[in-house]
Amino acid sequence: MSAMETATKIGHRVTEESSADEAWAELRTLLGHQRRRFLIAASKLDLHPAQAGALLQLASPRPMNELAAVLACDNSNVTGLVDRLEARGLVARRPNPADRRVKRVVLTAAGARTREQLLEIVGRPPSGLERLSRAEQRQLRDLLHRVAAIDPGA
Amino acid sequence: MSAMETATKIGHRVTEESSADEAWAELRTLLGHQRRRFLIAASKLDLHPAQAGALLQLASPRPMNELAAVLACDNSNVTGLVDRLEARGLVARRPNPADRRVKRVVLTAAGARTREQLLEIVGRPPSGLERLSRAEQRQLRDLLHRVAAIDPGA
DNA sequence: TATTGTTATACTCTATAACTATA
DNA sequence: TATAGTTATAGAGTATAACAATA
């Protein structure tokens, strides 16, 4: 099925001006689905959404202030956030000899396991994606990669 | 540039099994960018993220419990959320004559304006999307629509 | 009996400002 | 003087349980 045929079938306008807006609207719909998926996953692991979000950002150790930046919150919030994750044995603070003001946050073994459990839920492609053909999946992957690569900031 | 060439160029594996995972990883990258964009937009309008999320879900009036469902939180949270939005004059509670247990939440004129301001930020396609060709934008739109349509729940 | 919305409680998140240690 | 992290504070979100009104 061609793009034009699909567009007609699902009732989209096919004007030149609106295709980017329409593609973005579809992406935002998926964002909503994924957000709910994330909230449910966090709840299952008895994590506050902010805690689950922090764990996902800790693929490798990060300074506290860098964690604050990626979470789009103030440094002072990260103190409490890390306090509670540390109390549950999921992360630890490590000093940075090069700059003794800095503390890096690292996952413990338990933290890495919890992060994996999160990823098993939010990292699994939704079934709608699985039902595209291999060729379509690759096409989608490459288009999205270009969108994200050109515009990493927003 | 073909999909295969792009995949090689950016270092992707081109195995049959991983294309869905790779597409999903790209999508999650974009969702992360959009999440930060959303948080910044909410902050600019002096809205808590949960309040901004609620406004976005109020394109048309919704019962309180339905709002709780789409926000993936308990009914009791929506009471306080709507209390504060109502105190700011952004929403109002309307009785439902058909079932007097139910209250519908509706946007006020001010609430609709605030919602529009949010959409001006989060609803605008990122520049990376604008730089795809029209044909590629339509292709992306249609692929995403099929992913979202087949799997609306998660 | 079940459901909708509210209240009460306890804990967490979030922004802001002031503070300490380090650069 | 500037930066990284902490502390203190106040307002908001969140889950749970108990409750009133309605179905």
Side-chain angles (χ1 to χ4, degrees), chain A residues 48 51 74 76-77 81 84 100-101:
Chain A
H48 193 284
Q51 295 174 337
D74 192 80
S76 62
N77 300 329
L81 192 61
R84 284 175 279 272
R100 285 159 57 200
R101 292 174 302 183

Side-chain angles (χ1 to χ4, degrees), chain B residues 73-142:
Chain B
C73 72
D74 192 82
N75 282 2
S76 62
N77 299 328
V78 176
T79 296
L81 192 62
V82 171
D83 278 350
R84 282 174 280 272
L85 288 174
E86 197 170 29
R88 285 181 58 172
L90 300 177
V91 306
R93 288 171 163 92
R94 300 277 186 237
N96 182 346
D99 184 341
R100 285 158 60 199
R101 292 173 302 180
V102 175
K103 297 176 187 170
R104 288 176 312 127
V105 185
V106 305
L107 288 180
T108 62
R113 264 196 308 277
T114 300
R115 183 171 182 276
E116 283 306 314
Q117 290 178 294
L118 265 177
L119 281 175
E120 277 172 22
I121 302 176
V122 301
R124 178 176 304 140
S127 63
L129 184 51
E130 304 279 10
R131 292 187 211 173
L132 296 183
S133 72
R134 303 287 187 196
E136 288 168 334
Q137 288 172 1
R138 287 193 292 267
Q139 202 172 47
L140 180 58
R141 174 198 65 194
D142 295 334

Side-chain angles (χ1 to χ4, degrees), chain A residues 1-150:
Chain A
M1 187 188 299
S2 75
M4 177 75 66
E5 284 165 352
T6 302
T8 302
K9 207 164 186 177
I10 63 184
H12 275 301
R13 290 167 59 220
V14 196
T15 61
E16 293 294 314
E17 296 78 4
S18 61
S19 48
D21 287 342
E22 290 171 350
W24 187 236
E26 297 292 352
L27 264 169
R28 292 210 302 122
T29 299
L30 278 172
L31 170 66
H33 296 167
Q34 176 64 0
R35 180 72 190 163
R36 274 189 290 284
R37 207 182 187 195
F38 167 77
L39 292 173
I40 291 165
S43 174
K44 278 184 183 169
L45 293 171
D46 196 27
L47 292 169
H48 193 284
Q51 295 174 337
L55 288 185
L56 288 180
Q57 294 295 340
L58 288 172
S60 55
R62 282 180 187 276
M64 309 268 295
N65 63 335
E66 191 180 319
L67 194 52
V70 294
L71 296 177
C73 73
D74 192 80
N75 282 1
S76 62
N77 300 329
V78 176
T79 296
L81 192 61
V82 170
D83 279 350
R84 284 175 279 272
L85 289 174
E86 198 170 29
R88 285 181 57 170
L90 300 177
V91 307
R93 287 171 163 93
R94 300 278 186 234
N96 181 348
D99 185 341
R100 285 159 57 200
R101 292 174 302 183
V102 175
K103 297 175 187 172
R104 288 177 312 127
V105 185
V106 304
L107 288 179
T108 62
R113 266 197 306 279
T114 301
R115 183 171 182 275
E116 282 306 314
Q117 289 178 294
L118 266 177
L119 280 176
E120 277 172 23
I121 302 175
V122 300
R124 176 175 306 140
S127 64
L129 184 51
E130 304 278 11
R131 292 187 211 173
L132 296 183
S133 73
R134 304 286 188 195
E136 288 168 333
Q137 289 172 1
R138 287 192 292 267
Q139 201 172 48
L140 180 59
R141 172 198 65 193
D142 295 335
L143 287 171
L144 290 172
H145 185 80
R146 288 168 55 203
V147 172
I150 295 174

